[in-house]
């Protein structure tokens, strides 16, 4: 048997298990280590009871990042602006909990369990869901499941541009067109049809589309610079790393460090955060995610244009007739 086929056989045998191991690590490890890590939470009140409550929360070293508020109204505003995930108010009847299941149903349940465990035996803890998840998707399952299809769509767009040989302006136009159409179709499905997103329709479509554009432009840009291997590299980065590190099914602050932070600087995580902000929080706290997606999209499209010009110059050079020095007798 020739040497080259033997090498390809060994490469396949070793590469597939390596990819599977990477996928299991990326998806299973963060899920197995889920716990609050500097989770922003508010405490309402200024007396000894509020101080005592804060002290009990801080006993879980590094679990919560405590913000103090003088009034329940101030805490509600902070929740609506996505400064905190929830708040505990100290009242004459005991603690009362303010949550935002739209920000993360997992965190809302975690806070409920934590506050209930500290309440006097048998005491009921009243819960007010300040920004509730829609009744059509109370667990946030649809939003959590939407990021993987967006990542796949972006990778498919970048791969298609590469495999079809589109370069320069044509490649950019194709990526922009795909992103725009995917954004509108996604908003039509999740908002108009299923009713699981409740924000401004065009803002949701823009969040969907920009996420796909950032991913697709990155994949196509890598391929334009380093060849078809860039498609594989971009796929690994966006699907096997960006998707499980996004924290969209729980919260970035529940993932192991620095996974949650890394995830928010990758398009899937930034896209999930942007979509949640525009769908449920009137665009509050959308700035960083929006900037992250724009940066990835601009860098990717720039790489596409640079790679296209480089290939065009190589093609022109190859087509140019060779010039030979004149022969003298």
């Amino acid at each position: 048997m020739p040497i080259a086929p033997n090498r390809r056989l060994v490469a396949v045998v070793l590469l597939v298990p390596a990819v599977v191991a990477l996928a299991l690590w990326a998806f299973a490890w963060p899920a197995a280590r889920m716990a609050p890590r500097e989770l922003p939470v508010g405490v309402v009140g200024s007396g000894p009871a509020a101080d005592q409550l804060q002290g009990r929360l801080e006993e879980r070293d590094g679990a919560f990042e405590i913000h103090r508020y003088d009034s329940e109204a101030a805490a509600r505003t902070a929740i609506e602006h996505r400064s905190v995930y929830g708040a505990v108010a100290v009242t004459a009847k005991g603690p009362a909990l303010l949550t935002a299941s739209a920000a993360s149903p997992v965190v809302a349940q975690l806070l409920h369990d934590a506050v209930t465990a500290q309440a006097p035996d048998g005491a009921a803890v009243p819960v007010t869901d300040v920004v509730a998840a829609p009744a059509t998707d109370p667990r946030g399952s649809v939003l959590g499941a939407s990021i993987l299809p967006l990542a796949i769509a972006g990778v498919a767009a970048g791969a298609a541009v590469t495999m079809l040989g589109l370069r320069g302006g044509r490649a950019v136009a194709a990526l922009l067109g795909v992103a725009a159409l995917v954004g509108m179709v996604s908003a039509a499905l999740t908002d108009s049809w299923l009713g699981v997103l409740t924000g401004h329709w065009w803002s949701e479509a823009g969040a969907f589309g920009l996420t796909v554009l950032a991913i697709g432009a990155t994949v196509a840009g890598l391929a334009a610079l380093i060849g078809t291997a860039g498609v594989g590299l971009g796929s690994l980065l966006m699907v096997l790393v960006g998707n499980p590190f996004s924290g969209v099914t729980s919260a970035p602050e529940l993932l192991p460090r620095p996974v949650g932070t890394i995830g928010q600087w990758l398009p899937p995580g930034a896209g999930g955060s942007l979509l949640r902000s525009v769908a449920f929080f009137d665009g509050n706290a959308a700035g960083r995610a929006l900037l992250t997606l724009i940066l990835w999209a601009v860098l990717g499209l720039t790489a596409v244009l640079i790679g296209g010009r480089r290939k065009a110059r190589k093609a022109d050079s190859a087509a140019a007739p060779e010039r030979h020095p004149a022969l003298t007798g």
Side-chain angles (χ1 to χ4, degrees):
M1 185 178 290
I3 296 177
N6 282 338
R7 290 178 177 175
R8 289 196 292 268
L9 185 150
V10 172
V12 169
V13 171
L14 295 179
L15 182 61
V16 172
V19 172
V20 171
L22 175 62
L24 287 174
W25 168 79
F27 281 88
W29 173 59
R33 298 291 185 267
M34 192 176 295
R37 296 170 176 86
E38 295 186 5
L39 186 74
V41 175
V43 171
V44 181
S46 57
D51 294 337
Q52 186 177 13
L53 173 61
Q54 178 175 343
R56 288 199 298 268
L57 291 174
E58 290 177 341
E59 286 176 359
R60 299 178 63 176
D61 187 33
F64 298 106
E65 178 186 283
I66 305 300
H67 298 250
R68 292 293 290 266
Y69 301 100
D70 294 331
S71 66
E72 187 174 316
R76 285 174 174 267
T77 299
I79 292 172
E80 292 168 352
H81 288 181
R82 300 198 70 187
S83 299
V84 294
Y85 281 93
V88 187
V90 178
T91 69
K93 297 181 180 180
L97 180 61
L98 305 176
T99 63
S101 58
S104 172
V106 175
V107 171
Q109 184 62 49
L110 183 151
L111 292 177
H112 178 268
D113 294 343
V115 174
T116 301
Q118 296 181 6
D121 293 340
V125 177
V127 180
T128 302
D129 203 345
V130 178
V131 186
T136 50
D137 188 27
R139 291 184 172 85
S141 302
V142 175
L143 189 147
S146 65
I147 298 303
L148 180 57
L150 294 181
I152 293 174
V155 169
V161 164
T162 302
M163 300 307 174
L164 293 175
L166 299 178
R167 297 200 299 257
R170 287 188 176 87
V172 170
L175 292 168
L176 290 172
V178 168
L181 288 176
V182 170
M184 289 187 286
V185 169
S186 300
L189 289 173
T190 56
D191 188 315
S192 304
W193 180 41
L194 296 175
V196 296
L197 301 184
T198 59
H200 186 269
W201 196 93
W202 284 107
S203 296
E204 294 166 354
F208 280 121
L210 185 56
T211 302
V212 172
L213 178 61
I215 295 171
T218 300
V219 172
L222 287 171
L225 294 179
I226 66 175
T228 54
V231 174
L233 179 60
S235 301
L236 289 174
L237 181 62
M238 298 301 168
V239 177
L240 292 187
V241 177
N243 184 64
F245 284 17
S246 67
V248 70
T249 59
S250 54
E253 293 85 357
L254 297 184
L255 301 180
R257 294 191 183 98
V259 166
T261 301
I262 294 172
Q264 292 307 294
W265 286 110
L266 293 173
S273 294
L274 177 61
L275 184 59
R276 197 181 295 277
S277 288
V278 300
F280 306 123
F281 293 88
D282 296 325
N284 289 317
R288 188 178 75 174
L290 179 62
L291 180 61
T292 299
L293 291 173
I294 291 174
L295 182 62
W296 279 95
V298 170
L299 290 176
L301 294 176
T302 301
V304 168
L305 293 174
I306 292 173
R309 290 175 182 173
R310 183 187 300 170
K311 290 179 181 178
R313 285 197 297 267
K314 288 182 179 179
D316 291 342
S317 299
E322 293 182 2
R323 292 187 175 91
H324 297 283
L327 298 176
T328 59

